[in-house]
């Protein structure tokens, strides 16, 4: 059976970008593949070295995974730092990753700009650790949003290079994956760019109805079309893209038509969008709260996932050590 690996950093609550870019695919994939879904807490230390809330963030994302419908009986759900084998694999893989290519990565350059006071080595080697997460279970497919495309390319490069250097075909070359073919980019509410945890432009699965309403009503639009059938401007296209994931096709078409005929009222459109997001979120939100309160269940899920993930990781590491030439006396 083909293998699937994907992860999310616990740097805040899950937002609609995480859901429609990644988690939605997880739900279907767990029915068809051997899946490993984890919480990337090592990765979160590159930007969020905050011991006072790390554990709570991990707990929150775990509860959110489960509330969305990830099933620990069907897939392996684990916390990255519970599987320290990945740190060793990452060390070994870093010997074949070159400084120049790591420095040229878009996400490294972005983060270096965003936190000039903390351009740490973990940021630089982020793609090596991510590649290790993936090849540790020899994944065939990696469900991610469009923003992770370059990291996946690096993963393929590192896996292929390892195979080449050691004259082996040990590592599968993984592919990024989305059921709809093209990887998804969910926009934020601020008129341009993707929805993100640090951008302050997101709607979270755990948001209450009031908060959603407030955020959507404040979303950036434009001053309205002045010519019939003019193309959508970026901020309006972004709202339509959000509608496309939470509203019915009829609703989306209605507002497209209103835009085309210059009769659009953004207040109405936002009201509808807020309503549909609230409807989408409500059942998940309720489950998050219930699951978070069940400490025994969370502990059981974590232990089960850790044991299954470590079994797979230990096997890979044993093979890799042997391929590299590390032998026991
Ligand atoms: P992270 O935590 O930023 O995001 C988790 C997942 O959500 C997707 N995503 C989006 N998709 C569409 N539109 C958006 N606006 C949007 N925002 C986030 C991301 O593409 C991702 O799939 N480096 C990864 C975590 C990671 C990982 C891995 C992923 C670590 N190791 C191994 C896959 C495999 C990250 O920072 O995702």
């Amino acid at each position: 059976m083909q293998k699937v690996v994907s992860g999310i950093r616990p740097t805040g609550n899950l937002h609609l970008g995480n859901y429609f870019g990644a988690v939605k695919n997880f739900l279907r994939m767990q029915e068809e593949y051997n899946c490993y879904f984890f919480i990337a807490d090592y990765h979160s230390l590159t930007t969020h070295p905050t011991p006072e809330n790390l554990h709570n963030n991990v707990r929150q994302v775990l509860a959110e995974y489960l509330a969305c419908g990830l099933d620990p009986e069907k897939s392996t759900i684990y916390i990255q730092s519970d599987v320290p084998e990945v740190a060793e694999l990452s060390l070994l893989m870093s010997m074949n990753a070159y400084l120049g290519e790591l420095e040229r990565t878009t996400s490294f350059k972005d983060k270096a700009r965003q936190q000039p006071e903390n351009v740490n080595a973990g940021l630089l080697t982020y793609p090596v650790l991510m590649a290790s997460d993936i090849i540790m279970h020899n994944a065939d497919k990696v469900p991610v949003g469009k923003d992770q495309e370059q990291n996946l390319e690096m993963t393929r490069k590192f896996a292929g290079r390892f195979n080449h250097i050691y004259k082996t075909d040990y590592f599968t070359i993984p592919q990024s994956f989305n059921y709809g073919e093209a990887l998804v980019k969910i926009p934020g509410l601020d008129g341009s760019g993707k929805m993100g945890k640090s951008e302050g432009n997101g709607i979270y699965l755990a948001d209450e109805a009031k908060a959603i309403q407030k955020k959507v009503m404040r979303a950036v639009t434009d001053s309205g079309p002045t010519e019939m059938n003019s193309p959508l401007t970026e901020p309006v296209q972004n709202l339509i893209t959000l509608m496309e994931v939470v509203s019915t096709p009829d609703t989306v078409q209605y507002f497209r038509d209103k835009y085309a005929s210059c009769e659009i009222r953004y207040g109405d459109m936002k009201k509808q969008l807020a309503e549909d997001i609230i409807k989408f979120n409500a059942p998940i939100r309720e489950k998050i709260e219930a699951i978070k309160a069940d400490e025994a269940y969370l502990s059981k899920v974590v232990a089960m996932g850790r044991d299954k993930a470590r079994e797979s990781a230990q096997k890979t590491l044993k093979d890799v050590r042997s391929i590299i030439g590390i032998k026991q006396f």
Side-chain angles (χ1 to χ4, degrees):
M1 194 192 279
Q2 286 208 323
K3 290 190 190 153
V4 172
V5 172
S6 199
I8 295 186
R9 281 170 304 139
T11 52
N13 297 357
L14 295 198
H15 52 64
L16 295 181
N18 298 134
Y19 185 88
F20 290 103
V23 177
K24 193 172 172 209
N25 282 314
F26 298 178
L27 297 179
R28 207 165 135 191
M29 293 184 108
Q30 71 179 350
E31 307 295 334
E32 300 170 26
Y33 300 103
N34 181 5
C35 296
Y36 294 83
F37 299 124
F38 68 98
I39 299 173
D41 56 346
Y42 282 154
H43 275 115
S44 73
L45 298 176
T46 59
T47 55
H48 291 65
T50 43
E52 54 290 355
N53 56 23
L54 181 62
H55 181 70
N56 271 341
N57 285 346
V58 171
R59 249 178 113 246
Q60 175 75 20
V61 174
L62 177 64
E64 289 176 332
Y65 265 179
L66 299 166
C68 287
L70 283 194
D71 184 344
E73 301 290 338
K74 292 180 182 157
S75 35
T76 302
I77 300 170
Y78 69 98
I79 297 161
Q80 189 182 33
S81 63
D82 268 346
V83 185
E85 287 78 9
V86 75
E88 184 177 339
L89 184 57
S90 185
L91 174 84
L92 297 173
M93 294 304 291
S94 73
M95 307 303 167
N96 308 323
Y98 304 121
L99 183 60
E101 65 192 353
L102 294 173
E103 279 176 335
R104 281 193 299 275
T105 312
T106 316
S107 53
F108 173 70
K109 288 195 282 191
D110 285 350
K111 285 288 180 317
R113 233 185 340 257
Q114 285 161 14
Q115 51 182 63
E117 74 298 340
N118 182 20
V119 185
N120 57 75
L123 278 179
L124 187 70
T125 55
Y126 188 113
V128 181
L129 179 57
M130 178 156 164
S132 304
D133 292 325
I134 295 168
I135 61 178
M136 191 169 71
H137 304 298
N138 243 326
D140 300 276
K141 291 186 162 66
V142 186
V144 283
K146 190 158 176 49
D147 58 310
Q148 296 298 316
E149 213 164 22
Q150 192 179 32
N151 280 334
L152 249 292
E153 223 162 85
M154 304 282 282
T155 300
R156 281 194 289 276
K157 192 187 271 183
F158 297 148
R161 191 177 288 157
F162 180 95
N163 287 349
H164 180 74
I165 290 175
Y166 294 106
K167 298 186 180 53
T168 169
D169 56 2
Y170 185 73
F171 284 127
T172 307
I173 309 298
Q175 302 300 321
S176 53
F177 183 84
N178 176 49
Y179 278 104
E181 303 271 312
L183 299 186
V184 172
K185 176 183 152 191
I186 299 294
L189 296 170
D190 50 359
S192 69
K194 64 165 181 165
M195 186 175 285
K197 288 173 196 133
S198 35
E199 283 81 355
N201 63 9
I203 294 189
Y204 298 98
L205 298 178
D207 274 349
E208 287 179 25
K210 269 221 172 87
I212 295 173
Q213 242 156 10
K214 215 163 139 188
K215 287 183 189 177
V216 174
M217 293 319 280
R218 274 207 228 121
V220 174
T221 52
D222 57 21
S223 50
T226 50
E227 266 178 53
M228 302 283 275
N229 298 317
S230 43
L232 298 175
T233 57
E234 192 185 358
V236 178
Q237 174 61 56
N238 287 354
L239 294 186
I240 290 282
T241 302
L242 284 171
M243 270 197 153
E244 278 168 345
V245 293
V246 292
S247 307
T248 64
D250 285 356
T251 305
V252 179
Q253 196 54 48
Y254 174 84
F255 287 103
R256 277 188 185 281
D257 292 346
K258 288 282 175 200
Y259 189 91
S261 60
C262 300
E263 294 169 304
I264 188 133
R265 287 168 41 174
Y266 291 133
D268 293 348
M269 182 177 171
K270 289 174 171 179
K271 224 171 118 202
Q272 181 70 49
L273 177 60
E275 217 171 88
D276 291 339
I277 294 176
I278 291 165
K279 217 182 290 164
F280 170 79
N281 270 17
I284 301 179
R285 211 174 84 77
E286 261 170 49
K287 281 191 208 139
I288 295 172
E289 292 313 312
I291 292 169
K292 254 168 66 182
D294 194 345
E295 205 60 60
Y297 177 60
L298 290 177
S299 304
K300 195 177 121 197
V301 169
V302 167
M304 221 165 91
R306 178 193 57 216
D307 291 348
K308 282 200 279 178
R310 282 198 88 171
E311 196 185 321
S312 157
Q314 279 165 355
K315 182 186 173 306
T316 305
L317 205 53
K318 187 163 171 265
D319 294 343
V320 168
R321 281 169 149 254
S322 153
I323 291 169
I324 285 180
I326 300 174
K327 295 214 172 94
Q328 272 193 327
F329 279 93

